[in-house]
Amino acid sequence: MATLLSRPQRRPPLLRQAIKIRRRRVRDPQDPIPQKEIEPPSHQLSPEERTLLYEEAVYTVLHRLGQPEPNHVIEASELLRYLQEAFHTEPEEHQRMLQRVRDLQKPIFCLKATVKQAKGILGKDVSGFSDPYCLLGIEQGVGVPGDSPGARRRQKAVVRHTIPEEQTHRTQVISQTLNPVWDETFILEFEDITNASFHLDMWDLDTVESVRQKLGELTDLHGLRRIFKEARKDKGQDDFLGNVVLRLQDLRCREDQWYPLEPCTETYPDRGQCHLQFQLIHKRRATAASRSQPSYTVHLHLLQQLVSHEVTQHQAGSTSWDGSLSPQAATILFLHATQKDLSDFHQSMAQWLAYSRLYQSLEFPSGCLLHPITSIEYQWIQGRLKAEQREELAASFSSLLAYGLSLIRRFRSVFPLSVSDSPVRLQSLLRVLVQMCKMKAFGELCPDSAPLSQLVTEALRTGTVEWFHLKQQHHQPMVQGMLEAGKALLSLIQDIVGDLHQCKHTWNKIFQNALKIDLFSTAFLELQWLVAKRVKDHTVAVGSPVSPEVGESLFQLYVSLKELCQLHAVPSERDGVLALDGFHRWFQPAIPSWLQKTYSVALARVQRAVQMDQLVPLGELTKHSTSAVDLSTCFAQISHTARQLDWPDPEEAFMITVKFVEDTCRLALVYCSLIKARARELSAGQKDQGQAANMLCVVVNDMEQLRLVIGKLPTQLAWEALEQRVGAVLEQGQLRNTLHAQLQGALAGLGHEIRTGVRTLAEQLEVGIAKYIQKLVGVRESVSPEDAILPLMKFLEVKLCYMNTNLVQENFSSLLTLLWTHTVTELAEAAASQRSSPLASSRLKIALQNLEICFHAEGCGLLPEALHTATFQALQRDLELQAASSRELICKYFCSRIQQQAETTTEELGAVTVKASYRASEQKLRVELLSASSLLPLDSNGSSDPFVQLTLEPRHEFPELAARETQKHKKDLHPLFDETFEFLVSAEPCRKAGACLLLTVLDHDTLGADDLEGEAFLPLCDLPGLTGPEEPGEVPQTRLPLTYPAPNGDPILQLLESRKGDREAQVFVRLRRQRAKQASQHAPRLGR
């Protein structure tokens, strides 16, 4: 039996010949045609063209093949209704067209089958591989039911037995492989899809080889088994590898799948897979469009018509088309492209041409153009296009580029920010243009096109100038005049500032990200030249002097120009000299008018605010009146005007600031005069003094608020920054001396006015305070001190609460300070008049303590350092003594002498040495008087006769213990006594403050009174035995320097002396005076 290769190859008949396409072969590219600027044809078709296209679309629907795609429309009636709407065809015309298309000859139905590759096939050769090839064709007129036994038998049948040889097609042989790759395409005709099936057999080509050759290829035992099997079959017979049988009616228009290879027997059920692609296409369509026009052109027109209808439908529903086709349109276009066998590239090109043309006349997102751009770029091979197609594609590029640049030139009106999606739309357009200009197709078809960034920059520059002239024409005044011209120019500049703000904050980043173009700088440089010329011409035309109305217009113009220049705060070197540099010089003649207008407006506002003020607090927390608020706003406006002016020239800026400060301080003093006059006007004739006090509080608060506002001038007018600017043109300290002198003068005047008001309020309260203090002193003795001070405290509580409610904190603190000073003075005078009355002094003492608490108010009133003045501390000490009883004063006296003893370190009068302790078990105070030393020689012989008197003080604590004396030593300044004394006394009085052992060293005189050598005070509370629970052991010696009483008199003694009716006090004072007199007699001898 002859092999397949040995069979004569007969040429099949022409009509049935398979058109074999090898995708690996590409025609040589032709020379590109020079780019021509061709105007894009309109997307509107003529009536004749629409009729032919409608016939083509209906023909496509009626002769549909294959199963529908997912999401495609199944019913032909629905597709026909859609076509009737898309082509705006009347029902009668639609029926006539439908009948005419049905009468046309059917096309030749074809299956375009591509055998891509196979994998995992059987290895039939001795080497373990195969030499596979495929036989394929269409079996016509035999139905193949899915699972019937007949179907399985038919599938096992091979192509050579079922399909005539002239209708059988064969692939190339791929040698020695189990995964062959063919990628060969065949066109297979059929008549009726319902009873046609596709057959593919895969065979292993066998050639005649000697046994020696086969043994040389042997690799394992399986190969040996194959040799024996080969020996049993006919020489040169090909081996069957498997087949694929498919019903055409089960296929979709396009299929791309892996199909399993079916065996003839069950010996090897797994025979691998074959990758096949199918497409059901037409040949010899009977429509006039198919006969007269290329398939690509017809599909382009159909796509253009359907997309135009889709966009129009969305616009009718007030929605924007998003680029998604309806299922009906997608189905019709898919069927037409498949039936006409259009390549993916030609479909993408048709989509690009249609969309790019429609985009220039219909409104839909430019992002819809990105998909065809990407598809064309991915599949671009210039040689597959005809010359007219290349010319058409080049024209579409040029047309869309020109249209896109025109949109960019007019982007302010085409993409207004009032529409929320405008930035996204512009960004999408730029992205489309960038992607288009990056295409290989664009580079080859439009080689002379300038770089896109250069084209866009020029479009932006031209568009900015056009926009300026349109705005200038829009703001042209109806009435000619200098004021109207200024207002029109101001409106124009404000529009320019607004546009530059949008360019800087919205549009610039879009152009920067897409093309690295600085839109803001481009627009600013164009606009500033145009603005500068018009502003300069206007200021020259105004001249001088400047009227107030024109001055106001010029000021607004100056501020707008300043804002315009601040947008371009950091110019680059490439910008060069700007036309607006130094623009402030054009406005110099208007400065006096601006300053005068600012002051006049502020003064009128202050006068109006005071005249309308009723001097009533605004609220509980806001204690000043309406005029203070208006004044603060007025001053803030002056500061705002100064900041707006911000004159660039340092020296002139200093003079302007001086003027602003001078006017502000003058307004402050004017306000003080006006508000006081307003208070007098409102309080005139009123009998209610409380209402007058309320108004006075409000006036003081208003002035305080004014002082706070004035104090912020250095910050509001930026004195520090001004000082740095004028440092090079002014003398050092000139600014500070000038401006601060003005400010301090105003603050001093306000402070004086505030103090005067607070002083007036304080004087109204001081009378009541003095009255209640006098009542406190004169109240009868039966009333307790707490009850005696109650009227004074209630008076202060009511008045201070009232003042705290009506005064701001600063003024209330000032009032408290004045009242506290007055109150302390009144108490001091009362205390001085009641020195001899402990009861009255006690009441004053308690009053002082309560007043201190009241004025401190738990930290909300005066601070402790403000309360504890020298007068207060002296009064506190005096009242502490005056309120004490005589015995308490005596104890205080001894406490002071004990303190004096502790502070004495020198022994100018000599010293005594003692040992003292307390034995609690015996309740005895034991004193060992050891010696005295360095005594003063009080006798005429230069010596003394010393002895020591021991007493426990104060006497009222130890009434039953008599004084003890030591032996008298003759002519001895260093006597050694060595005597012991015991006092029977309980421990309790010894532990009290002031309890002490008084050691009085005397010089014995036989003829007269004994002379005083000195005194020493030993506090009892620190003695061993009194400080702890244990009995004292070894008692240490204590050396006590001798002291004298105070030569100028002790205040405690003076106070006790004033109590004439107290015998105990008088006896104590008499003894102490005697000791002081004795001390004064010997005081001159201390110089030795």
Side-chain angles (χ1 to χ4, degrees), residues 111-377:
L111 176 67
K112 182 180 179 180
T114 301
V115 183
K116 300 293 288 184
Q117 59 181 323
K119 62 181 179 180
I121 65 176
L122 297 178
K124 290 291 188 176
D125 293 342
V126 176
S127 62
F129 295 98
S130 293
D131 302 322
Y133 67 93
C134 297
L135 297 177
L136 62 154
I138 292 181
E139 183 181 12
Q140 190 73 49
V142 180
V144 187
D147 295 327
S148 64
R152 288 192 293 272
R153 285 195 300 272
R154 295 298 302 168
Q155 290 175 2
K156 294 179 184 294
V158 296
V159 171
R160 66 180 64 175
H161 297 153
T162 59
I163 301 175
E165 182 179 357
E166 64 272 11
Q167 299 178 14
T168 302
H169 310 286
R170 173 174 172 168
T171 68
Q172 290 183 338
V173 177
I174 308 300
S175 301
Q176 295 296 297
T177 180
L178 299 180
N179 301 294
V181 177
W182 290 283
D183 198 12
E184 298 183 39
T185 300
F186 305 90
I187 305 297
L188 312 176
E189 298 179 0
F190 61 90
E191 297 178 357
D192 187 1
I193 194 172
T194 59
N195 59 7
S197 60
F198 169 79
H199 288 256
L200 179 143
D201 293 348
M202 190 177 296
W203 295 86
D204 170 40
L205 179 67
D206 276 352
T207 56
V208 179
E209 295 179 346
S210 65
V211 175
R212 177 177 298 177
Q213 290 175 323
K214 293 181 179 180
L215 290 176
E217 297 175 359
L218 184 63
T219 58
D220 54 13
L221 294 177
H222 294 286
L224 184 61
R225 190 181 301 137
R226 293 189 188 99
I227 291 178
F228 292 141
K229 186 176 180 180
E230 289 285 337
R232 293 196 300 270
K233 72 175 184 178
D234 297 336
K235 293 183 178 180
Q237 181 179 358
D238 295 343
D239 294 320
F240 181 76
L241 298 177
N243 68 354
V244 176
V245 180
L246 301 171
R247 294 186 302 180
L248 296 190
Q249 64 180 0
D250 295 336
L251 298 177
R252 294 197 292 266
C253 288
R254 291 176 182 268
E255 291 281 4
D256 187 349
Q257 293 188 35
W258 286 87
Y259 296 94
L261 293 171
E262 299 291 340
C264 287
T265 65
E266 302 300 330
T267 307
Y268 296 104
D270 185 8
R271 291 175 173 265
Q273 294 178 311
C274 185
H275 184 195
L276 301 175
Q277 291 178 346
F278 298 110
Q279 183 177 341
L280 295 171
I281 64 174
H282 290 174
K283 288 171 58 178
R284 297 187 180 180
R285 292 164 65 95
T287 62
S290 294
R291 294 196 307 268
S292 61
Q293 299 178 16
S295 299
Y296 158 78
T297 304
V298 176
H299 186 74
L300 169 62
H301 291 164
L302 179 60
L303 174 64
Q304 196 167 291
Q305 180 67 29
L306 297 186
V307 171
S308 176
H309 172 69
E310 294 278 314
V311 176
T312 305
Q313 289 295 103
H314 279 82
Q315 291 177 347
S318 300
T319 58
S320 177
W321 185 55
D322 61 356
S324 300
L325 293 172
S326 64
Q328 297 87 344
T331 303
I332 294 171
L333 291 171
F334 176 80
L335 291 176
H336 187 263
T338 303
Q339 293 172 9
K340 302 284 284 185
D341 193 21
L342 283 177
S343 65
D344 292 341
F345 175 78
H346 283 88
Q347 291 183 55
S348 299
M349 182 173 168
Q351 186 181 15
W352 161 257
L353 292 174
Y355 281 17
S356 63
R357 291 173 183 174
L358 292 173
Y359 177 72
Q360 300 177 43
S361 55
L362 300 176
E363 184 177 353
F364 63 87
S366 57
C368 301
L369 300 171
L370 288 175
H371 176 69
I373 285 177
T374 306
S375 300
I376 292 175
E377 178 69 5

Side-chain angles (χ1 to χ4, degrees), residues 683 685-696 761 764 802:
S683 60
Q686 287 191 356
K687 297 180 180 180
D688 187 3
Q689 295 298 322
Q691 186 66 22
N694 287 344
M695 292 184 183
L696 183 56
L761 291 172
Q764 296 176 2
Y802 170 81

